[in-house]
Amino acid sequence: IEARGRLMREVIHRLASSAKTHSEMTEVSHILSNRDTDVLCELGKKINPDDASAAALEEALNEVGTRKCKSGVPDEWELKESAWSEYDPSFQHISTRAHQQASENRPKQKAGAPCLPYAPRPLPSHNLFNRLR
């Protein structure tokens, strides 16, 4: 389950900067550890035994992204508005330029809507550090 969370985090941050094709999104597997890749392949076998690694990515894309079909060019994935709450402006696996693009792409605050936090809640800390939080 932690491997799936790391995959989702990578996918969200890739899509936050700009719409991406499926081919561009497969590069996420190069960033994940071999252990995470193995776990995701095992999860993917339950979805599609013929293409296990792509099945886990496809499931993540469907959860946080919207496929935009265009004629004559490859389909692109865009980040769903609901997934922006998980965007972290200090995420280290994308470039400064990608963070700048994400800041420009971030949905605008709607009138009358509650103020959204700029960054997600911090991940739970180890038990030894709980007293510091």
Side-chain angles (χ1 to χ4, degrees), residues 72-96:
V73 294
D75 296 349
E76 290 186 332
W77 289 89
E78 292 180 349
L79 189 62
K80 289 181 182 176
E81 193 168 332
S82 60
W84 276 96
S85 63
E86 297 299 318
Y87 171 72
D88 182 356
S90 63
F91 188 68
Q92 70 276 15
H93 289 176
I94 61 174
S95 67
T96 302

Side-chain angles (χ1 to χ4, degrees), residues 19-111:
K20 304 273 191 260
T21 64
H22 193 278
S23 298
E24 291 171 318
M25 292 305 299
T26 57
E27 294 174 8
V28 167
S29 64
H30 300 298
I31 291 176
L32 297 173
S33 68
N34 287 339
R35 182 176 172 270
D36 283 349
T37 304
D38 292 343
V39 169
L40 291 168
C41 281
E42 289 301 316
L43 291 172
K45 284 179 185 176
K46 296 175 185 173
I47 300 166
N48 182 358
D50 296 330
D51 193 4
S53 60
L57 176 62
E58 191 73 27
E59 183 181 31
L61 284 169
N62 284 323
E63 190 169 329
V64 299
T66 305
R67 179 181 250 151
K68 298 292 181 185
C69 300
K70 300 175 183 176
S71 62
V73 294
D75 296 349
E76 290 186 332
W77 289 89
E78 292 180 349
L79 189 62
K80 289 181 182 176
E81 193 168 332
S82 60
W84 276 96
S85 63
E86 297 299 318
Y87 171 72
D88 182 356
S90 63
F91 188 68
Q92 70 276 15
H93 289 176
I94 61 174
S95 67
T96 302
R97 179 69 185 131
H99 279 297
Q100 290 170 341
Q101 290 173 324
S103 180
E104 293 168 7
N105 294 340
R106 189 178 186 91
K108 303 297 180 234
Q109 185 73 30
K110 294 183 176 131

